[in-house]
């Protein structure tokens, strides 16, 4: 059981009469790339916020990296990374300053910050841009930088909320190379997406409809289960019945 | 056991050290935001200078160098003496002399002339022999305040002349009002508006800029990342507030320097007390800014609320532009809810009257009360947002 880094049991979030997330139960193993799919308004963000310790569940239990979401949110925060769907670095700081700032927030020492910063810049091929303001970078590079910053402190799990929105297919592919690298190092990836080609890259997927998880398996098994040719078809079969939408 | 305690202490120190490092890290970042944005810098440091200069030299209740004309039908000793006294005053420039009322009318119609003085023929004679002479003062009352002020100036000058020739004129009974203008003997406009400008600038900088800088992080998504990080939410707010507190104190200093060296307005009270009270008011403003930023999600809305909700009441109700005593009672009550009013009273007392803490402790207490309530409310609502 030590291999399980995310474990939820009937995790529920209510806002008044509205049940945003309804008895979600699943497990994610260490190093796994776990896709979290669902139409807009299906409850993905709410579920993710509970897992990150940003939002208190109404009922059910969840353990993230071995810590309880009710009581140990501080420990959870120290052990996860997060990349929001909005581009979330500071545009008016340079590449290196962003790395130092976010690394510093996670308590990295100056020496670590220096070595990791250089390492990261080299890895991303940003040597020339290291001292330029982030706003001068193309979107694809910003996203890659943003991901690298999110895993800088070597979290156990990294949560990616629609990380590749608005990015071209080539850059998306490169982005996923970064995700595979991180996963190979043992970082668990929890990713939400609307792109079905990306869904195919995941080890396992869950698909949320109206606050409930309606399907959960590997892409291949899901296609078999729903007798569908592609993940697109699987998603469409499930999401079409949804009553909620944005 | 000893070892255990010291180990735990070491851990505590380490945790505190880390939090401190994070905090400094964050404050540095905040300074980078401010110092790299030219627009912010301009508002931050250009505004106080602009306001002081505008209020100091353009928007003043003093009427200087008004153009007047003289119609002197007497041309005798007394009339000439009065005319030269008026010409010497800095309030008036004698533009022209005219011979008749037709010419005078024509001058008024051109619109440049504010006032005309008419000395009737035999002015000196009448003054010496009948003990009573008249000067006709005709003012352009299309701007009633100016007309009023100018005619007061003329009366004062004439009064002054009259007392200088008193030994020649014997008057049976006279009541001469002796006016003393306390604290501001020259009736300068500056003493009134410098504290007002301070309140305005601090209000704008602290409320608007803090609100905008926090809401900006919400808009760009960085706030989410910060909230997911182990950085304490309360520290996010604090580290936002610290740079603006420091920059605002720089602003207070620059306003005071300007008022002392450019406007020749001395600081009569304790400078230390002045800064202490300013710090209190800055904290009040910062808590308002934080509250606005928690309740709004867009920079535009935050700016609008700061301007309409804070700037306007400050101008209207702090008392530095419109005297509160003249307002209808309900408005007077409302003015008590404007923190800037109390700050304005405090600063006026220290700067102009040179009073100490004993004279302003009540106002300080009220301001402190505002601060505590606002801070409590904003911190509480910040926590609710996180749940």
């Amino acid at each position: 059981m030590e291999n399980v880094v995310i474990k939820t049991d009937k995790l529920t979030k209510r806002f008044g009469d509205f049940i945003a997330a309804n008895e979600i139960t699943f497990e994610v193993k260490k190093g796994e790339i776990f896709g979290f799919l669902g139409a807009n308004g299906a409850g993905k963000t709410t579920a993710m916020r509970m897992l990150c310790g940003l939002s208190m569940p109404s009922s059910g239990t969840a353990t993230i990296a071995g810590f309880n979401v009710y009581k140990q949110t501080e420990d959870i925060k120290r052990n996860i990374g997060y990349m929001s769907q909005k581009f979330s670095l500071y545009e008016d700081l340079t590449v290196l300053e962003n790395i130092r700032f976010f690394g510093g927030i996670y308590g990295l020492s100056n020496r670590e910050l220096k070595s990791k910063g250089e390492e990261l810049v080299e890895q991303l091929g940003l040597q020339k841009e290291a001292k330029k303001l982030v706003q001068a970078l193309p979107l694809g590079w910003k996203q890659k930088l943003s991901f690298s910053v999110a895993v800088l402190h070597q979290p156990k799990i990294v949560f990616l909320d629609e990380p590749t929105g608005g990015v071209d297919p080539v850059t998306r592919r490169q982005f996923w190379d970064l995700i595979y690298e991180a996963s190979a190092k043992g970082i668990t990836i929890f990713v939400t997406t609307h792109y079905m080609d990306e869904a195919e890259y995941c080890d396992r997927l869950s698909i949320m409809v109206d606050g409930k998880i309606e399907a959960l398996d590997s892409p291949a098994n899901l296609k078999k289960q729903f007798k569908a040719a592609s993940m697109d078809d699987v998603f469409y079969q499930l999401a079409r019945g949804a009553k909620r939408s944005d | 056991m000893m070892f255990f305690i010291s180990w735990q202490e070491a851990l505590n120190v380490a945790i505190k050290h880390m939090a401190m490092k994070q905090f400094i890290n964050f404050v540095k970042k905040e300074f980078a935001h401010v110092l790299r944005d030219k627009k912010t810098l301009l508002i931050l440091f250009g505004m106080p200078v602009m306001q002081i200069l505008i209020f100091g030299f353009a928007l003043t209740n003093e009427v200087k160098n008004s153009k007047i004309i003289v119609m002197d039908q007497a041309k005798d000793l007394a009339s000439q003496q009065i005319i030269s006294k008026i010409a010497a005053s800095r309030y008036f420039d004698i533009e022209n002399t005219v011979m008749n009322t037709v010419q005078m009318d024509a001058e008024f119609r051109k619109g440049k002339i504010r006032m005309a003085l008419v000395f009737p023929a035999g002015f000196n004679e009448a003054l010496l022999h009948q003990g009573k002479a008249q000067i006709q003062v005709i003012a352009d009352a299309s701007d009633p305040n100016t007309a009023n002020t100018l005619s007061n100036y003329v009366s004062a000058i004439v009064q002054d002349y009259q007392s200088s020739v008193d030994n020649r004129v014997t008057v049976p009974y006279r009541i001469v009002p002796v006016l003393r203008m306390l604290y501001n003997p020259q009736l300068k406009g500056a003493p009134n508006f410098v504290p007002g400008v301070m309140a305005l600038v601090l209000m704008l900088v602290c409320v608007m800029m803090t609100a905008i800088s926090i809401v900006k992080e919400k808009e760009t998504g960085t706030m989410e990342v910060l909230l997911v990080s182990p950085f304490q939410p309360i520290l996010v707010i604090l580290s936002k507030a610290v740079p603006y507190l420091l920059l605002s104190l720089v602003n207070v200093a620059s306003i005071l320097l300007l008022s002392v060296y450019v406007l020749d307005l001395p600081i009569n009270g304790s400078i230390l007390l002045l800064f202490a009270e300013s710090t209190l008011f800055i904290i009040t403003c910062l808590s308002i800014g934080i509250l606005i930023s928690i309740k709004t999600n867009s920079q535009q809305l935050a700016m609008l609320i700061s301007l309409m909700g804070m700037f306007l009441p400050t101008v209207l109700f702090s008392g530095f532009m419109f005297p509160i005593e003249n307002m209808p009672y309900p408005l007077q009550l409302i003015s008590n809810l404007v923190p800037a009013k109390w700050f304005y009273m405090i600063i006026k007392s220290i700067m102009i009257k040179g009073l100490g803490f004993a004279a302003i402790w009540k106002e300080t207490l009220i301001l402190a009360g505002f601060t505590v309530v606002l801070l409590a409310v904003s911190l509480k609502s910040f926590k609710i947002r996180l749940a």
Side-chain angles (χ1 to χ4, degrees):
Chain A
M1 282 308 276
E2 258 178 44
N3 254 345
V4 175
V5 286
I6 303 176
K7 181 177 167 57
T8 74
D9 187 26
K10 295 186 175 173
L11 196 64
T12 302
K13 179 78 185 185
R14 281 185 212 90
F15 295 105
D17 289 338
F18 180 75
I19 304 175
N22 195 352
E23 302 201 339
I24 296 174
T25 304
F26 65 92
E27 280 181 6
V28 180
K29 286 196 266 324
K30 184 172 186 282
E32 199 173 16
I33 302 176
F34 189 81
F36 203 58
L37 275 59
N40 290 334
K44 286 181 314 229
T45 307
T46 307
M48 195 141 136
R49 287 175 69 84
M50 285 192 283
L51 301 182
C52 292
L54 277 187
S55 174
M56 205 52 112
S58 307
S59 63
T61 61
T63 323
I64 312 297
F67 298 108
N68 184 309
V69 284
Y70 288 95
K71 290 173 198 150
Q72 295 166 299
T73 50
E74 288 313 308
D75 295 300
I76 290 176
K77 285 176 176 182
R78 216 164 290 131
N79 284 288
I80 62 172
Y82 177 78
M83 181 178 163
S84 90
Q85 60 191 83
K86 293 175 196 163
F87 168 70
S88 47
L89 296 178
Y90 292 101
E91 303 254 344
D92 55 348
L93 298 184
T94 67
V95 172
L96 273 180
E97 283 171 335
N98 265 296
I99 294 173
R100 282 199 199 118
F101 174 72
F102 284 108
I105 290 290
Y106 281 92
L108 266 58
S109 72
N110 287 339
R111 201 190 306 152
E112 278 176 304
L113 283 176
K114 199 166 181 299
S115 67
K116 289 216 169 172
E118 281 166 11
E119 195 182 308
L120 206 161
V121 163
E122 204 170 313
Q123 198 187 338
L124 293 173
L126 286 172
Q127 289 96 331
K128 277 185 196 160
E129 284 80 10
K131 287 190 175 149
K132 280 191 192 157
L133 297 188
V134 164
Q135 63 196 16
L137 296 182
L139 181 65
W141 286 21
K142 287 185 193 171
Q143 305 286 69
K144 282 191 265 177
L145 179 62
S146 192
F147 176 77
S148 308
V149 166
V151 294
L152 194 66
H153 59 288
Q154 288 171 317
K156 294 204 170 99
I157 309 157
V158 60
F159 290 88
L160 309 173
D161 192 2
E162 292 175 29
T164 54
V167 174
D168 65 74
V170 177
T171 317
R172 242 165 55 204
R173 184 66 244 207
Q174 291 171 348
F175 190 86
W176 273 85
D177 287 341
L178 286 179
I179 292 183
Y180 280 129
E181 252 174 65
S183 154
K185 282 183 198 157
I187 297 177
T188 306
I189 316 282
F190 187 96
V191 56
T192 74
T193 181
H194 283 310
Y195 296 108
M196 287 308 137
D197 59 330
E198 289 188 349
E200 303 265 7
Y201 300 152
C202 297
D203 296 330
R204 278 193 313 142
L205 293 173
S206 74
I207 299 179
M208 266 185 101
V209 179
D210 290 349
K212 284 186 188 155
I213 289 184
E214 293 291 352
L216 199 171
D217 213 328
S218 68
N221 286 345
L222 282 176
K223 277 186 275 190
K224 237 182 270 167
Q225 184 188 338
F226 286 87
K227 298 188 177 63
S230 65
M231 275 311 300
D232 241 4
D233 282 344
V234 175
F235 188 77
Y236 185 67
Q237 281 187 37
L238 283 166
R240 148 179 86 178
K243 293 179 189 73
R244 295 186 340 213
S245 70
D246 275 346
Chain B
M1 197 63 187
M2 281 294 285
F3 169 75
F4 180 70
I5 287 168
S6 63
W7 175 81
Q8 209 167 35
E9 268 173 6
L11 189 72
N12 277 340
V13 169
I15 288 170
K16 266 183 202 155
H17 176 75
M18 193 175 112
M20 199 59 208
K21 223 185 94 191
Q22 287 178 326
F23 183 67
I24 292 169
N25 187 15
F26 203 113
V27 171
K28 263 195 214 160
K29 179 213 90 170
E30 230 30 68
F31 269 111
H33 287 321
V34 174
L35 299 178
R36 275 176 200 176
D37 186 10
K38 292 203 179 74
K39 272 182 260 169
T40 311
L41 273 185
L42 194 70
I43 297 179
L44 205 54
F45 295 110
M47 200 177 55
V49 178
M50 281 292 292
Q51 293 220 0
I52 285 284
L53 295 182
I54 289 175
F55 279 95
F57 295 105
L59 292 177
T60 155
N61 320 341
E62 290 177 69
V63 187
K64 285 180 206 157
N65 304 329
S66 296
K67 296 186 168 49
I68 62 167
I69 51 172
V70 175
M71 188 162 109
D72 185 4
Q73 293 164 329
K75 289 214 163 52
D76 50 28
L77 181 69
S79 75
Q80 290 298 324
Q81 278 177 334
I82 293 178
I83 289 170
S84 60
K85 233 176 144 51
I86 284 174
S89 120
R90 65 193 173 101
Y91 301 117
F92 300 108
D93 283 341
I94 296 182
E95 181 82 354
N96 210 345
T97 49
V98 292
M99 297 316 295
N100 54 48
T101 48
V102 179
Q103 279 179 335
M104 190 171 79
D105 266 0
E107 289 287 337
F108 268 121
R109 293 241 166 86
K110 283 187 210 156
K112 276 189 184 166
I113 301 306
R114 294 263 149 251
M115 200 165 72
L117 296 180
V118 181
F119 294 86
F123 180 73
N124 200 18
E125 286 271 311
L127 190 63
L128 287 177
H129 296 126
Q130 296 164 22
K132 188 179 162 193
Q134 281 186 326
I135 306 172
Q136 193 179 15
V137 179
I138 304 167
D140 176 355
S142 54
D143 179 354
N145 281 335
T146 312
N148 215 344
T149 313
L150 288 180
S151 57
N152 283 340
Y153 289 158
V154 169
S155 315
I157 292 171
V158 171
Q159 193 95 35
D160 192 41
Y161 170 76
Q162 197 177 336
S163 51
S164 74
V165 295
D166 228 5
N167 41 4
R168 285 192 284 152
V169 189
T170 45
V171 181
Y173 287 108
R174 291 195 79 186
I175 298 169
V176 181
V178 180
L179 295 176
R180 245 186 87 210
M181 293 299 173
L182 283 177
Y183 310 121
N184 181 14
Q186 298 108 316
L187 285 180
K188 279 193 207 159
N192 249 331
F193 79 78
V194 168
V197 166
M198 260 167 74
L200 264 188
V201 167
L202 293 181
M203 205 79 196
L204 266 185
V205 169
C206 301
V207 175
M208 195 167 81
M209 299 204 140
T210 321
I212 287 178
S213 87
I214 297 177
V215 172
K216 195 175 171 188
E217 299 234 7
K218 280 199 211 170
E219 266 188 6
T220 54
T222 43
M223 186 55 96
E224 248 179 28
V225 177
L226 293 179
L227 292 181
V228 176
S229 80
F231 200 57
Q232 292 284 319
I234 190 91
L235 281 184
V236 174
I237 296 294
L238 264 183
S239 18
K240 283 272 169 194
V242 165
Y244 287 103
L245 175 68
L246 293 178
L247 291 169
S248 301
L249 285 173
V250 172
N251 260 334
V252 171
S254 63
I255 292 175
L256 292 179
L257 284 174
L258 277 173
S259 72
V260 170
Y261 291 105
V262 179
L263 301 172
D264 287 328
L265 182 77
I267 297 164
N268 293 324
S270 148
I271 292 183
L272 204 67
L273 186 58
L274 206 57
F275 271 94
E277 296 282 352
S278 300
T279 309
L280 176 63
F281 183 62
I282 290 168
I283 295 171
T284 319
C285 294
L286 288 174
S287 6
I288 297 174
I290 291 167
L291 193 59
I292 292 176
S293 73
I294 288 166
K295 301 283 180 197
T296 56
N297 283 315
S298 85
Q299 291 184 61
Q300 277 97 333
L301 190 61
M303 190 147 100
L304 207 68
I305 293 178
S306 314
L307 281 178
M308 300 307 283
M310 297 299 133
F311 193 71
L312 218 60
T314 305
V315 171
L316 291 177
F317 292 119
S318 64
F320 91 100
M321 278 201 160
F322 310 103
I324 292 171
E325 299 81 33
N326 295 351
M327 290 178 186
Y329 191 64
L331 289 186
Q332 290 193 25
L333 282 183
I334 291 175
S335 78
N336 289 333
L337 295 175
V338 178
K341 175 193 166 173
W342 304 102
F343 178 65
Y344 175 70
M345 287 164 78
I346 291 169
I347 296 302
K348 226 168 66 171
S349 302
I350 302 174
M351 250 183 102
I352 300 164
K353 301 188 188 170
L355 301 176
F357 187 70
I360 51 166
W361 67 269
K362 261 192 223 157
E363 286 83 355
T364 308
L365 206 64
I366 293 172
L367 202 55
F370 273 119
T371 314
V372 170
V373 170
L374 284 165
L375 212 57
V377 170
S378 53
L379 291 182
K380 189 153 181 265
S381 34
F382 188 70
K383 272 193 194 137
I384 289 168
R385 290 257 341 180
L386 282 177

